[in-house]
Amino acid sequence: MNSIKVLETKRLYLRRMTVEDAENAYLLNLDPEVIQYTGDDSFESIEVARQFLASYSHYDHYDFGRWAVISKENDEFLGWCGLKFTPELDEYDIGFRFFKKHWNIGYATEAAQACIDLGFNHYKLTTIVGRARKENIGSIRVLEKIGLTYFGDFDFDGNAGVIYAINR
């Protein structure tokens, strides 16, 4: 089982996502408000989420990825957060997604800051970006809180997008 803690913060621990997280991944993406700015669709079923997680190879290729964020208090799955490498862009990005009931509590900021620190200190990355749709004020605030600054605009699937970046 790959449920070994990758990161730990004051209130959270982050670990690799596994097929056992399929129901949570399905439910997370089922909420239209959670995915409204992501460009992602919801999973058709828990089984489709399970198949996605079973084939998720980012951990094997890069030793990091989008990790499950778990509450230390009660072991609840809160969402996910982590780093992703996109070879076509030669870019490392920070991403996060949380169940709506966990918004505005600081979990995204806490988890994302830990991932940024790990990226710079352990993986020796030099630049990490965050991409968001321009109207996704909540995610942009998190990016700013963890030290990323506005870098430029981009086309986010036909919508106005912004890129934020931080250098080591």
Side-chain angles (χ1 to χ4, degrees):
M1 172 67 71
N2 289 324
S3 61
I4 297 169
K5 294 174 189 173
V6 175
L7 282 173
E8 196 166 337
T9 69
K10 182 178 178 184
R11 301 179 294 168
L12 312 168
Y13 67 88
L14 284 68
R15 61 160 174 77
R16 287 184 175 201
M17 291 184 69
T18 69
V19 293
E20 285 81 23
D21 295 310
E23 184 175 1
N24 282 316
Y26 168 75
L27 293 171
L28 182 64
N29 279 22
L30 197 58
D31 186 332
E33 284 186 70
V34 170
I35 63 169
Q36 78 181 54
Y37 300 122
T38 65
D40 292 341
D41 293 321
S42 57
F43 291 113
E44 292 177 22
S45 65
I46 293 171
E47 183 54 36
V48 171
R50 182 175 286 108
Q51 291 169 6
F52 171 83
L53 291 170
S55 66
Y56 183 73
S57 61
H58 217 82
Y59 305 134
D60 296 330
H61 291 304
Y62 305 108
D63 194 41
F64 58 78
R66 306 302 203 199
W67 293 305
V69 179
I70 309 298
S71 167
K72 282 183 175 180
E73 183 181 346
N74 59 13
D75 283 332
E76 182 180 3
F77 180 101
L78 307 177
W80 58 257
C81 182
L83 300 168
K84 178 177 82 173
F85 179 65
T86 305
E88 310 85 74
L89 300 173
D90 191 28
E91 176 181 273
Y92 297 90
D93 85 27
I94 181 71
F96 40 85
R97 189 173 302 170
F98 287 81
F99 281 106
K100 197 168 33 184
K101 69 181 182 176
H102 301 301
W103 290 1
N104 301 310
I105 303 173
Y107 290 142
T109 301
E110 187 174 330
Q113 184 64 63
C115 291
I116 293 287
D117 294 344
L118 184 75
F120 287 150
N121 299 325
H122 181 75
Y123 294 106
K124 306 301 182 199
L125 305 181
T126 55
T127 302
I128 298 172
V129 303
R131 293 174 173 265
R133 288 209 355 216
K134 201 169 252 182
E135 68 265 34
N136 190 349
I137 302 303
S139 289
I140 291 169
R141 279 195 194 117
V142 171
L143 295 174
E144 292 172 342
K145 285 180 187 176
I146 62 173
L148 281 76
T149 55
Y150 175 78
F151 181 76
D153 295 332
F154 78 107
D155 181 316
F156 193 127
D157 300 327
N159 297 285
V162 291
I163 303 171
Y164 278 66
I166 186 171
N167 297 310
R168 183 166 78 169

